[in-house]
Amino acid sequence: MPPEHLDVLIVGAGLSGISLAAHLRTARPGTTFAVLEARGAVGGTWDLFRYPGVRSDSDMFTLGYAFRPWPGPEAIVDGATVLDYLQETAREQEVQPRFHHRVTAAQWSSDTARWTVTVEHDAQEHTLTCGFLALCAGYYRYDQGHSPAIPGLDDFAGPVVHPQHWPADLEHAGRRVVVIGSGATAISLVPALAETAAHVTMVQRSPSWVTALPRRDHVVARLGRRLPRAAARLARLRNVLFQVGSFRLARQLPGPTRRLLLRRVTRSLPAGFDVARHFTPSYAPWDQRLCVAPDGDLFRAIRAGTVDVVTGAIAQVTPSGVTLSTGEHVPADVLVTATGLNLLGLGGVALTVDGRRVRLPETYVYKGMMLSGVPNLSLTVGYTNASWTLRADLVSAYVCRLLQHLDRTGCHSVTPVTPDLPPGQRRPMLELESGYVKRSLPGLPVQGPGVPWRVPQSYLRDRRVMLRGPVTDEVVFGRAVTGRSPEASTVGA
Ligand SMILES: Cc1cc2nc3c(=O)[nH]c(=O)nc-3n(C[C@H](O)[C@H](O)[C@H](O)COP(=O)(O)OP(=O)(O)OC[C@H]3O[C@@H](n4cnc5c(N)ncnc54)[C@H](O)[C@@H]3O)c2cc1C
């Protein structure tokens, strides 16, 4: 029996995999495809993270799909609501992933113009083949969050918890909680824990930029009563324009942006609060993702006295709390290490092209979604400065256009050519200062100076390139050289 063959194999049933499956159904109804998912659920990130306060950072009008507008009026919602939305979308689009199927390797053959894909399922390995491999596998390790070595951590007498693996039965009510970290996760967790904890202290090595945004969109709330779809579309357009504009402004005028953010933070905190120490980062706004405090919840909790912020290096964790290098001791019953993610490229799938192993740092990323020298492969990586979905939908649409082009021209493969760029023109794929990004850059592909080798982090520019630009620039097309064996195929997901 030849292995099962599919036109497209989608790896991952998170936000991005659902997007591509939906686009394939609409734009290419005859395409055979399957969605393989390592876990037992759809939703990816939104199913995995269960810590108190987990929520969207982006507004739902742009985090929602263009093909299924978020009805509002809530703009920032909790993780369970995002998960519901993704599950409902998957149901509506009849996306039925094959659960507990982990893709471990994929080998491309130019002779057959196919990928042979190794899959682990039920503790066994099997293979299948596909014409196009779409990696919608996210960007970090699911099995392990980032846990830097903190001296004495093992001596702590109470529970030590990483937000990526939050125990459902962890009791924090009435207890003193210390959250180590200052990223988006810590900023979401801290006010949520403070609702029932005896006290919460956020211990941060250095501050992050935090800004308050309204949870509810009042324009949509008013307009949406009569024209719900128009209101949602309008909110999406407005938020895209606002995001693009404010990001550009922050880049071009970092000084005034800093001052504006600081003014807002200062107004939200009690008089005399040490804003310079606890809320004034050393990096420019948007060198890292901006943290959002919905309706200013973090600032409100500080004003109420249920949350403290302590800034400084941790010298030692003791059985009863955390001691800083200044000698200050913060008592704790529960310790939360909100210390980030471990980045993982390509969902851990080992790629080989005609017998040669693909080494990511030797590849250039093409239009932010293919790799130089690697045929018929897409990867979906969202924006660092805007909603992931904006980019995921563009990548999905582009994959459909590429497949259309292959069909029209009778070609079987498309490969971005490796650009001949001097080393000085190579840039890291992700231009963020966040610790988890900097730790992982040496293992990631690089980008070049201009289209199609640059990832501009601009939805409006990408929209032009991905939806209307050519699909033939700086790529080579090919045809299989050997006859293809008879195949079994599966229609749909
Ligand atoms: C706590 C948190 C909050 C976030 N908040 C926001 C936000 O507000 N706005 C925003 O835009 N972005 C946010 N992000 C980024 C977020 O990851 C994206 O919004 C989005 O969920 C990514 O979707 P994805 O489908 O690409 O990846 P994931 O959600 O990571 O899904 C990938 C799926 O692929 C599966 N998979 C991986 N490898 C394999 C393999 N080898 N074989 C089979 N299956 C595999 C995984 O099991 C998973 O189900 C957040 C991230 C985190 C961690």
Side-chain angles (χ1 to χ4, degrees):
M1 263 275 279
E4 178 186 17
H5 179 77
L6 300 148
D7 295 331
V8 180
L9 186 69
I10 301 174
V11 182
L15 190 157
S16 305
I18 298 169
S19 163
L20 181 53
H23 277 78
L24 284 172
R25 268 197 195 289
T26 312
R28 298 184 53 80
T31 300
T32 64
F33 71 92
V35 182
L36 300 196
E37 169 54 55
R39 302 173 72 241
V42 297
T45 297
W46 300 99
D47 182 68
L48 176 73
F49 280 84
R50 303 284 177 141
Y51 59 79
V54 59
R55 55 167 168 79
S56 64
D57 253 351
S58 320
D59 69 275
M60 285 304 294
F61 302 103
T62 56
L63 192 62
Y65 298 108
F67 60 83
R68 188 166 181 258
W70 176 252
E74 299 306 318
I76 295 176
V77 299
D78 59 27
T81 307
V82 181
L83 181 60
D84 279 352
Y85 170 80
L86 293 178
Q87 286 170 338
E88 274 168 33
T89 310
R91 258 195 308 276
E92 234 179 66
Q93 296 290 330
E94 295 172 37
V95 180
Q96 289 164 0
R98 300 180 194 177
F99 292 125
H100 306 294
H101 282 65
R102 176 180 296 283
V103 175
T104 55
Q107 298 169 333
W108 171 260
S109 156
S110 294
D111 284 353
T112 57
R114 279 181 180 174
W115 287 101
T116 300
V117 179
T118 309
V119 183
E120 276 176 12
H121 175 58
D122 270 351
Q124 295 202 338
E125 262 190 5
H126 68 276
T127 56
L128 39 80
T129 60
C130 64
F132 197 95
L133 183 61
L135 295 177
C136 299
Y139 60 104
Y140 62 88
R141 277 179 69 163
Y142 268 64
D143 58 339
Q144 201 181 70
H146 177 63
S147 299
I150 302 175
L153 197 59
D154 292 342
D155 301 333
F156 185 65
V160 178
V161 183
H162 193 288
Q164 192 165 328
H165 312 282
W166 196 270
D169 58 354
L170 180 77
E171 195 46 81
H172 66 271
R175 301 169 90 181
R176 296 164 304 174
V177 186
V178 164
V179 177
I180 300 173
S182 60
T185 300
I187 303 292
S188 316
L189 248 175
V190 164
L193 292 172
E195 284 173 16
T196 54
H199 191 75
V200 181
T201 309
M202 186 168 97
V203 174
Q204 55 178 12
R205 196 175 39 200
S206 53
S208 304
W209 287 110
V210 185
T211 192
L213 284 181
R215 242 178 239 277
R216 192 175 164 84
D217 191 311
H218 295 289
V219 176
V220 175
R222 241 173 290 134
L223 189 62
R225 270 183 237 128
R226 272 194 268 147
L227 299 165
R229 280 185 84 81
R233 287 189 193 286
L234 199 71
R236 184 180 164 91
L237 177 66
R238 178 204 58 198
N239 291 0
V240 163
L241 294 176
F242 177 77
Q243 177 276 322
V244 170
S246 56
F247 179 74
R248 262 192 217 157
L249 207 67
R251 282 287 184 231
Q252 284 163 12
L253 301 170
T257 308
R258 281 175 79 92
R259 285 195 288 281
L260 179 72
L261 288 172
L262 283 177
R263 232 187 349 261
R264 287 172 55 111
V265 171
T266 308
R267 269 208 306 260
S268 311
L269 287 165
F273 189 91
D274 194 347
V275 173
R277 181 163 177 73
H278 302 307
F279 282 99
T280 310
S282 54
Y283 62 88
W286 280 116
D287 277 357
Q288 296 185 21
R289 251 184 114 104
L290 204 65
C291 295
V292 169
D295 291 341
D297 58 0
L298 175 67
F299 305 126
R300 210 172 41 241
I302 294 173
R303 283 199 309 270
T306 53
V307 166
D308 271 335
V309 183
V310 171
T311 305
I314 294 175
Q316 179 85 27
V317 173
T318 67
S320 62
V322 173
T323 305
L324 285 106
S325 54
T326 53
E328 184 181 358
H329 186 256
V330 185
D333 306 309
V334 178
L335 207 54
V336 180
T337 52
T339 42
L341 306 165
N342 276 320
L343 253 67
L344 177 69
L346 312 178
V349 180
L351 297 178
T352 312
V353 172
D354 293 328
R356 192 176 39 82
R357 180 75 188 261
V358 175
R359 299 195 192 288
L360 277 189
E362 292 168 13
T363 62
Y364 284 83
V365 69
Y366 172 86
K367 295 185 182 169
M369 48 83 64
M370 293 180 85
L371 296 175
S372 61
V374 184
N376 290 24
L377 176 114
S378 67
L379 36 124
T380 305
V381 181
Y383 290 114
T384 53
N385 62 358
S387 286
W388 188 277
T389 323
L390 291 172
R391 173 101 194 135
D393 277 347
L394 290 183
V395 171
S396 301
Y398 193 87
V399 167
C400 292
R401 291 182 65 210
L402 256 186
L403 295 173
Q404 226 94 291
H405 184 85
L406 291 177
D407 281 356
R408 238 189 349 257
T409 55
C411 291
H412 302 126
S413 69
V414 51
T415 315
V417 291
T418 303
D420 188 15
L421 292 173
Q425 293 200 5
R426 291 168 144 241
R427 313 158 73 127
M429 180 182 167
L430 296 172
E431 294 176 298
L432 276 183
E433 291 295 312
S434 314
Y436 72 96
V437 171
K438 286 169 95 174
R439 276 195 304 278
S440 311
L441 282 179
L444 296 181
V446 293
Q447 56 172 324
V451 175
W453 302 108
R454 176 120 174 85
V455 188
Q457 299 293 341
S458 163
Y459 175 67
L460 294 181
R461 215 179 308 165
D462 277 352
R463 235 183 105 81
R464 265 199 317 274
V465 171
M466 308 291 275
L467 299 186
R468 288 193 295 278
V471 293
T472 51
D473 48 335
E474 306 207 29
V475 292
V476 285
F477 292 96
R479 291 194 169 86
V481 291
T482 56
R484 292 170 163 198
S485 54
E487 59 207 31
S489 44
T490 309
V491 178

